[in-house]
Amino acid sequence: MSHYKKLIIAVDLSEDSAKVAECARNLAAGSDAELHLIHVIEPLSFAYGGDIPMDFSGIQDEIHQQAVQQLTRFGEIYHIGPERQHIVLGRPEVEIHSKAKEIGADLIVVGSHGRYGLALLMGSTANGVLHGANCDVLAVRVGSNS
């Protein structure tokens, strides 16, 4: 089995994120691999198509602050320092690819709910990350069917 040197763990900060992080930590154990965390915040304008004449900046700022607090706590649990915690704004698959390339990750670890059919077509972050990644991707089964 390959020994990965730099892993990036994509988390949505739900309770499923712990399972994804545990899997990554187990892979990294013994190989002195560097762990990074990434959480992607999708702009509210994506969800609403950008056609609503409202200023979402205050809400978006609050979402960002909550994400910083949660990711900081998550990083403390898994001994991943602030310099290796990344919160970015954008489309998850695009931003995860970009950050993985930027830091030179050789493995992206992401949770997957194992969706299929219409649910998969409607958008799966794990599927989006898998397609187009420049490194290996490990999809960890999470959710009620795990």
Side-chain angles (χ1 to χ4, degrees):
M1 176 169 195
S2 293
H3 291 287
Y4 296 104
K5 297 296 178 202
K6 198 173 283 192
L7 289 71
I8 187 164
I9 309 163
V11 295
D12 62 5
L13 299 175
S14 71
E15 57 190 45
D16 291 332
S17 295
K19 184 174 182 183
V20 177
E22 283 293 332
C23 184
R25 186 165 67 175
N26 289 340
L27 274 173
S31 67
D32 210 24
E34 185 176 290
L35 294 176
H36 286 253
L37 289 170
I38 185 169
H39 175 69
V40 181
I41 301 170
E42 290 190 78
L44 292 173
S45 60
F46 284 5
Y48 295 102
D51 293 336
I52 297 176
M54 291 178 63
D55 181 10
F56 288 119
S57 61
I59 298 168
Q60 198 76 59
D61 289 344
E62 180 64 28
I63 291 169
H64 185 270
Q65 287 297 9
Q66 287 179 3
V68 167
Q69 291 170 359
Q70 288 179 290
L71 195 64
T72 298
R73 283 193 302 270
F74 198 83
E76 288 169 357
I77 292 167
Y78 292 97
H79 308 289
I80 300 171
E83 71 283 359
R84 291 183 281 128
Q85 298 174 20
H86 314 281
I87 295 181
V88 293
L89 188 66
R91 298 197 58 81
E93 57 276 5
V94 171
E95 298 304 329
I96 293 167
H97 288 155
S98 177
K99 187 58 72 176
K101 188 173 184 178
E102 178 187 321
I103 67 170
D106 48 10
L107 180 67
I108 299 169
V109 183
V110 64
S112 173
H113 289 90
R115 293 185 177 104
Y116 55 90
L118 188 58
L120 181 59
L121 291 175
M122 295 304 287
S124 159
T125 298
N127 191 51
V129 170
L130 179 63
H131 294 86
N134 290 327
C135 63
D136 290 350
V137 177
L138 174 63
V140 178
R141 176 80 60 157
V142 297
S144 60
N145 295 331
S146 58

